[in-house]
Amino acid sequence: MLTVNRLDLSDARILIAGAAEKAREIGVPMCIAIVDESGNLIAFERMDGGKITSVTIAQDKAFTAAAAKKATHDYNKVNVPGSLAFGIHTEVGGRISSVGGGLPVIVDGEVVGGIGLSSGTPQQDMDCAQAGIDHFETKRG
């Protein structure tokens, strides 16, 4: 029997609040997805003005970060021709993202979920995702 630690809805709302605050600060309305440790959606927010295409992209970034236990930008570094990982983005029905903006949420060394953002540049998405995690860690403190 396994015991699984995962984010709950209140955790997801804290992550979204921190990410949305950063998005407002930089003036980029984002789509923000929070998933559990298996990559299943817990909560989602599309800020007014968030891109339509980013609804799916944010969820795929969060899925990748949680289920693969790896930041999406780490896949970006190896998803290049000649690399053994080239083409990873075609796996799992195309849900693996190699675009920056998806981060695993780690508590006590264990991945308990993921956060994914989309609508800005990859760096803006990454910064807002990190702001969500930073806010979460402060509130958990």
Side-chain angles (χ1 to χ4, degrees):
M1 184 87 44
L2 295 174
T3 300
V4 178
N5 292 313
R6 66 173 45 123
L7 297 172
D8 64 20
L9 184 57
S10 64
D11 296 328
R13 288 179 174 150
I14 292 168
L15 285 155
I16 287 172
E21 181 179 331
K22 180 68 171 178
R24 284 189 293 277
E25 178 185 308
I26 66 171
V28 179
M30 294 280 184
C31 291
I32 307 164
I34 309 298
V35 300
D36 66 17
E37 84 296 339
S38 298
N40 293 304
L41 189 65
I42 298 171
F44 178 84
E45 180 175 306
R46 179 176 164 219
M47 297 173 71
D48 292 341
K51 295 176 183 175
I52 300 294
T53 53
S54 293
V55 170
T56 301
I57 294 169
Q59 291 178 58
D60 286 351
K61 288 180 181 183
F63 169 84
T64 300
K69 301 179 183 347
K70 177 180 276 198
T72 55
H73 64 269
D74 288 340
Y75 276 121
N76 184 272
K77 295 173 189 173
V78 297
N79 190 18
V80 293
S83 166
L84 292 176
F86 179 62
I88 190 72
H89 63 285
T90 65
E91 299 299 330
V92 193
R95 290 207 63 198
I96 300 292
S97 178
S98 61
V99 178
L103 296 173
V105 179
I106 301 169
V107 174
D108 298 329
E110 182 179 3
V111 174
V112 296
I115 182 171
L117 278 93
S118 184
S119 279
T121 65
Q123 188 62 58
Q124 289 170 326
D125 295 350
M126 291 165 62
D127 292 345
C128 291
Q130 186 61 55
I133 289 174
D134 293 345
H135 183 69
F136 173 71
E137 289 175 349
T138 299
K139 292 293 184 182
R140 280 192 84 248

